[in-house]
Structure formats: structure tokens, C-alpha cells
Amino acid sequence: MTDTAILLIYTGGTIGMKQDPVDMALKPFNFGQIVDEVPELKKFGCRIDSVTFDPLIDSSDADAGFWSELAALIEENYYDYDGFVILHGTDTMAYSASALSFMLEDLEKPVIFTGSQLPIGVARTDGKENLISAIEIACAKDSEGRARVPEVCIFFDSALLRGNRATKYSSDEFKAFISPNYPALAEAGINIKYHGKFIELPQRWGKPLKVHKRLDTRATILRIYPGMDENVLKNTLEMPSLRGVLIETFGSGNAPSKDWFIKNIRNASERGLIIANVTQCMRGGVDMEVYATGMTLKSAGVANGHDSTTESAIAKLFFLMGQYNDNQKVKELFETNLRGEISN
């Protein structure tokens, strides 16, 4: 029997529902009896403890307070467990995984988010396989006894994805998540195949975990679209107390070249507003050196989000604004790869 211990954290979501044999209604699963309910877990020989949020969180209600609570829970239990598996609703899982990736600095243990498209207690559920594989990966160690994947990840439908690279892809397929701009860290088939060259390892093992629970959410997302009215842009940029705006642009970071558009962006930037650029495209990233409109945005002070997902970029803004009062510092760090969220 190994001395490996995993903490299973059930926050809510479809995976945790089981059909009551009496009234046939779906009710929350008792994760305190997880090994009895999913006996396949016994083969790993690890101890699995569980914590259930009370009340459970619908993932649509995920917010900064919830992320801080999750980070604090991991901080409190970090030295008692070898890994953490977080059961979470799929709708905002990529946002939560992104946020935790920034909040947990010098992480040396796996923090794996998973869930399911069908409840664990119904026929054809994907929840059981997702849970089993997530726990197996959380238990996995290298030849020196260190975690194989010391990152915040999402495991879904046989693929382990970096949390801040994943995005929800489908609402009705078992393959709910993809990682458009970064390869899978591991794939589960007959065996679990780890892709070591893509896994981010600590430069130096043994650093204590640093947990950043302060987030500043005074930011919004503005998707650019053909026919946008000037007042929509102007009113967004002039929202009271707003500190940051993530604009989702066309292609490689392009936006309308109309004078009113550039003028409003430039004025807002000069007032100190943090404006950052990510692409609406599923694959690829922002390059503000290619076309004139991108160059104009750059000259107006817009920060480059490179190939970040929207989920990762907004979580990164919340994190950086929570750490720094200097908006210029936030913009500089936003363009920097902090946790493997952008390609170098």
C-alpha cells in the first residue's frame, strides 16, 4: 500500500449527481464513499479523502470569491496530500482552471479539474472514466517520487490539457474541451501516455507554494463585430470604476480602422485603462505587427494577448490587477508568459 494521498474536492456540477433508487431523482453523490461507489479506484492503492462544498456551486455562479475559496482549500491541505482533483461543472471549468493556475505560484503537485457531460449515476456516463483517470494522474510520480504533472490541468475525454490553455468546445459531446494552441499533456488509452516535453516542471524543486487570493475583477470583455456602434464602444470604455478591457478582435488582432474606433481606444488607454487584445479565432493568436489596424492598436497602447484563450486572458487580468496597482506593470506582465498560458 502506497502512502500517496489525494484530496477530492467536489464543488458541484453534473458529475456529482446520482439517481435516487426510490424517487429516481438526481441527487448529489456522497463522495465520502467514493471508493465503495467506484471500486476501480482501489487498484491505485492511494488514500482518497474528500471535501464537498456546502452549498454546492453551480458552475455558472463561479466567481472570484469561489476561486479564492478553492485556492485557500488547496493551501490549507497542500502539504498533507500528493495531489488534488477538483470536480467542477463544465460551463466555467476553463475559467476556474485558468484562475487557479495564476493563483498557485510554484506549484509542485497536480491540481486536476474534471467533470462530466452525464451524471456519474446514469448509464453511459463519462463521469466515471474521467474521475478514475484524473485520480490516477494525480497519483502519478516520476522515478524520484515527484509529481509527473505538477500543473493545474483539465482532464476530459481521455485528454489531459493545461488548464489555462483549455476552452469548452462542445455542450453535447463527451469531448467537451480542446486546447487549440498547445498539445495535450497526457492521453489516456490502454495506458496513460505522458508527453513530458510539454509538461511544465519547476526550475527548482522544493520551493514553498505561494497562494495569491487577491483578485481585482474590475475588467470586462468586449467582442468586436462588424457594424459596432460607436456608443457601444464608448460606453464600455467609460464604465465607472472599470480598470481593464479585454477586446476580442478579428483574425490576428485586427479591429475597425475607423477614426472613431481608434480615437476611443487611444483616449481610454491614455486615461490609464488597461486594454488587452485576444483573437476571436479558435486557433492561432494575435500579431499586431502584421496589418495596419493591429499596428495602430499597438501604438494606441493595447497589450498583446498572443495566443491566450479568452478564459485565460480574463483570469490573468483579474490576477495581475489584484497584485499590482500600477496599470503599466499589469500590461507588461500580461504580455509575459507566467504559467505556460502563452507560447514563447
Side-chain angles (χ1 to χ4, degrees):
M1 177 70 72
T2 179
D3 58 359
T4 301
I6 301 298
L7 183 62
L8 185 66
I9 303 170
Y10 177 45
T11 68
T14 300
I15 192 172
M17 296 297 166
K18 185 179 179 182
Q19 204 164 43
D20 188 286
V22 177
D23 60 16
M24 306 305 288
L26 289 174
K27 296 181 180 179
F29 188 75
N30 181 3
F31 283 95
Q33 300 173 352
I34 185 64
V35 176
D36 294 331
E37 296 282 357
V38 187
E40 294 91 337
L41 295 174
K42 293 178 182 177
K43 75 172 187 175
F44 301 136
C46 67
R47 189 179 92 243
I48 302 173
D49 296 333
S50 67
V51 174
T52 298
F53 269 52
D54 185 16
L56 295 174
I57 307 294
D58 186 303
S59 73
S60 296
D61 290 324
D63 58 15
F66 167 62
W67 296 334
S68 294
E69 191 174 350
L70 262 181
L73 186 58
I74 291 170
E75 180 181 34
E76 180 183 345
N77 292 279
Y78 187 71
Y79 296 102
D80 295 326
Y81 294 92
D82 298 277
F84 303 84
V85 173
I86 301 173
L87 305 181
H88 191 291
T90 60
D91 286 347
T92 60
M93 188 184 293
Y95 289 95
S96 294
S98 294
L100 265 288
S101 77
F102 297 115
M103 297 168 77
L104 303 176
E105 184 178 354
D106 293 327
L107 181 68
E108 296 185 356
K109 298 180 181 183
V111 175
I112 302 176
F113 284 78
T114 194
S116 66
Q117 297 286 61
L118 289 173
I120 203 168
V122 304
R124 298 183 56 252
T125 181
D126 56 328
K128 204 169 182 181
E129 291 303 319
N130 286 346
L131 175 62
I132 290 169
S133 295
I135 290 177
E136 183 173 357
I137 292 168
C139 290
K141 297 180 181 180
D142 64 17
S143 59
E144 298 183 45
R146 301 180 301 204
R148 290 288 300 267
V149 190
E151 294 197 36
V152 178
C153 304
I154 289 176
F155 183 87
F156 226 92
D157 191 44
S158 302
L160 183 72
L161 310 177
R162 178 168 295 157
N164 57 34
R165 289 288 194 151
T167 189
K168 188 170 181 183
Y169 163 76
S170 176
S171 63
D172 62 0
E173 297 176 14
F174 286 147
K175 184 180 180 180
F177 293 89
I178 60 172
S179 177
N181 290 315
Y182 199 78
L185 306 184
E187 294 171 281
I190 295 175
N191 298 302
I192 294 178
K193 183 178 181 181
Y194 294 91
H195 304 306
K197 65 180 180 179
F198 301 127
I199 297 171
E200 194 108 327
L201 299 176
Q203 291 186 344
R204 179 173 64 83
W205 291 86
K207 289 184 178 180
L209 178 70
K210 297 177 185 174
V211 180
H212 305 277
K213 286 172 280 195
R214 184 182 175 192
L215 302 172
D216 184 347
T217 60
R218 291 176 295 164
T220 191
I221 300 170
L222 178 64
R223 188 176 179 90
I224 305 302
Y225 52 89
M228 173 180 278
D229 185 82
E230 179 178 1
N231 287 325
V232 172
L233 177 66
K234 185 177 175 64
N235 291 338
T236 300
L237 298 176
E238 294 180 355
M239 285 170 51
S241 78
L242 189 68
R243 192 177 167 199
V245 176
L246 185 67
I247 56 172
E248 292 184 325
T249 54
F250 308 128
S252 58
N254 302 312
S257 60
K258 296 180 174 65
D259 289 342
W260 62 262
F261 186 92
I262 300 301
K263 180 187 71 176
N264 279 283
I265 293 289
R266 190 180 300 277
N267 288 345
S269 182
E270 289 176 353
R271 291 197 310 269
L273 191 69
I274 303 162
I275 306 176
N277 187 356
V278 293
T279 178
Q280 296 176 18
C281 298
M282 185 67 72
R283 191 181 296 273
V286 167
D287 184 347
M288 292 193 288
E289 302 285 349
V290 176
Y291 297 105
T293 54
M295 294 179 191
T296 303
L297 289 176
K298 182 178 179 180
S299 70
V302 175
N304 191 335
H306 301 286
D307 59 350
S308 298
T309 63
T310 294
E311 297 94 327
S312 177
I314 193 67
K316 188 175 182 179
L317 267 184
F318 289 170
F319 164 71
L320 290 173
M321 293 193 307
Q323 308 311 305
Y324 303 98
N325 293 321
D326 182 346
N327 286 0
Q328 187 59 38
K329 179 73 171 177
V330 170
K331 288 170 64 174
E332 290 172 4
L333 288 174
F334 181 83
E335 295 186 328
T336 304
N337 180 29
L338 300 179
R339 307 280 194 273
E341 75 281 1
I342 60 178
S343 301
N344 293 320

